[in-house]
Amino acid sequence: MTKKIRKLQIFRHIMQLILFFLLPGMYILAFSELKSIFQMIAKGDFEFIQAFPGLMEFTITIIFTILIGRFFCGWFCAFGTFNDWIHIISKKVFKVNFRINEKIDSMLKYVKYVILFFILFLTLKGGDTILNGLSPWDAFAQMGKFSTVITSMTVGFILLVLIVVGDIFVERFFCRYLCPLGAVFSLTSRISLLKINKLNDKCGKCRMCTNNCSMGLKLYSMNSIRGGECINCLKCVEVCPRKNPCVNIMDKDVNPSMASSFAIAIFAGIYGLTNFGNSIITKAGIASTNSVVSNNVNTADTSQNSVSTSQNTKYKDGTYTGSGTGFNGGTTKVSVTVNGGKITDIKTVSTDDTPRFYQYAESTIPNEIISSQSSSVDTVSGATYSSRGIIEAVQNALDNAK
């Protein structure tokens, strides 16, 4: 039995590791896109097809969650993976064996809904910019440039440290109590095709399923679990000595390894189809990633991250290069063409930025700068640091053109 448990969990951790490096920013982008959707709906100008290219990550994760439950949280989310590693290390190395009271655990799980409501409320009122620098997952994403995190995201870094401390003692601390995207998924996953059946009349008194649940669910009192707080880690299925819990897809019991493989295939299929659809409607001119832009830079932030350039500033004609620092400390170099004293073209020379984040910013920022003839433009929601890298590089080039 031990060998079987180890196999499936090792497979899960391998998948987490692969997607940690392949899709590290999907969580951040998906939540930023959720805020953009809410903002557009509030303004009464939401057109899904037109906005689709800029909402790809959220579309992928929400469709996947509706179909198959919270597999994304348990298997694919980079921040969830980080949570898992911290807790595994604390248990194996430091021998931490802390258990939180069930009633307190149940109450704390409502906190993430409060956080979600608060963020969406600020987004509705146009005040979500005050959260810049406060996000622990942004601080996590920028840890490659530690000095920047400490100076510009001090509160976010402190929150990240507190989350790490929480993870040491409580498995999936952030996912259980604080994750706003998890709050959305816990609602949408309740109609998924996948569930875990566990008949109580066949249970003993061991509570091994409950004791091994990543999310601290009271599995000993449940006959069936479909979505909600369950992240489909499948530990409960493996640890039960009576083999009582079983994975069920569309009312048919299936092997847990087959179920996880099915979930991975569904995710890959949705990801591929979404990218394909994105490409088609963008090439057809039906939509553009420019549809999803938000004001993520307030006055003080702008003064720190880019030098204001007046529309009346005169530039010498020519092509100039400049560099800036983007997501995770990646260096971006651009060429800026000036003709007739005006900015006429901006091209990327090279970038060490994360591709998906950079593409998200590149599709919007250069056009905005050319349109306004100024580097003081808003960043793209979900690609704030990549946007700043481009803005900084353009301003660096324009400094040579004055």
Side-chain angles (χ1 to χ4, degrees), residues 96-239:
V96 175
N97 190 26
F98 175 81
R99 292 202 177 279
I100 190 167
N101 180 273
E102 285 186 357
K103 289 184 178 180
I104 295 175
D105 177 73
S106 297
M107 289 188 292
L108 288 176
K109 283 174 179 173
Y110 287 103
V111 174
K112 60 179 174 287
Y113 296 100
V114 175
I115 293 173
L116 174 65
F117 176 80
F118 177 67
I119 293 175
L120 293 182
F121 177 77
L122 288 179
T123 302
L124 176 63
K125 297 297 183 181
D128 57 322
T129 53
I130 68 173
L131 297 176
N132 287 339
L134 305 182
S135 167
W137 49 88
D138 279 352
F140 167 70
Q142 289 283 307
M143 286 306 292
K145 199 171 182 182
F146 189 71
S147 59
T148 301
V149 172
I150 295 297
T151 56
S152 64
M153 290 179 279
T154 307
V155 176
F157 175 72
I158 292 172
L159 291 175
L160 179 62
V161 171
L162 292 176
I163 288 170
V164 169
V165 173
D167 282 328
I168 290 174
F169 295 98
V170 180
E171 187 172 5
R172 289 276 179 153
F173 175 82
F174 177 78
C175 306
R176 287 194 201 190
Y177 311 131
L178 305 176
C179 179
L181 196 58
V184 176
F185 289 160
S186 68
L187 299 174
T188 57
S189 63
R190 294 180 186 276
I191 58 173
S192 68
L193 303 176
L194 183 146
K195 63 180 177 180
I196 296 175
N197 286 331
K198 187 191 70 64
L199 300 178
N200 283 337
D201 57 4
K202 294 183 179 180
C203 282
K205 296 181 179 180
C206 64
R207 294 194 176 184
M208 287 187 67
C209 55
T210 298
N211 293 337
N212 284 273
C213 179
S214 295
M215 297 295 283
L217 299 179
K218 302 176 186 177
L219 298 179
Y220 64 85
S221 64
M222 301 178 180
N223 282 310
S224 180
I225 308 99
R226 187 196 299 271
E229 297 293 333
C230 177
I231 60 171
N232 297 319
C233 64
L234 304 183
K235 288 183 182 179
C236 60
V237 177
E238 293 185 299
V239 297

Side-chain angles (χ1 to χ4, degrees), residues 18 36 59 68 71 98 136 139 155 167 178 180 246 267 383 394:
I18 291 172
S36 296
T59 302
I68 212 72
F71 253 92
F98 175 81
V155 176
D167 282 328
L178 305 176
C246 57
F267 182 81
V394 169

Side-chain angles (χ1 to χ4, degrees), residues 335-366:
S335 66
V336 179
T337 300
V338 177
N339 190 10
K342 293 185 176 182
I343 306 168
T344 58
D345 191 29
I346 299 172
K347 291 182 179 178
T348 300
V349 175
S350 65
T351 184
D352 297 321
D353 208 310
T354 303
R356 179 64 181 122
F357 284 102
Y358 189 78
Q359 291 165 11
Y360 205 53
E362 187 187 30
S363 64
T364 298
I365 298 299

Side-chain angles (χ1 to χ4, degrees), residues 41-88:
I41 292 174
K43 291 178 180 179
D45 61 356
F46 180 63
E47 294 286 344
F48 179 75
I49 297 299
Q50 187 176 6
F52 175 69
L55 303 176
M56 193 173 71
E57 279 71 22
F58 182 73
T59 302
I60 291 169
T61 52
I62 202 69
I63 291 176
F64 180 66
T65 303
I66 290 172
L67 288 177
I68 212 72
R70 291 181 63 182
F71 253 92
F72 175 80
C73 301
W75 290 67
F76 304 150
C77 177
F79 206 62
T81 298
F82 174 70
N83 274 241
D84 276 344
W85 291 348
I86 293 298
H87 190 71
I88 288 171

Side-chain angles (χ1 to χ4, degrees), residues 291-312:
S291 301
V292 184
V293 183
S294 68
N295 300 330
N296 278 338
V297 182
N298 56 26
T299 305
D301 195 34
T302 302
S303 65
Q304 292 175 356
N305 292 282
S306 64
V307 180
S308 177
T309 307
S310 170
Q311 292 185 5
N312 297 321

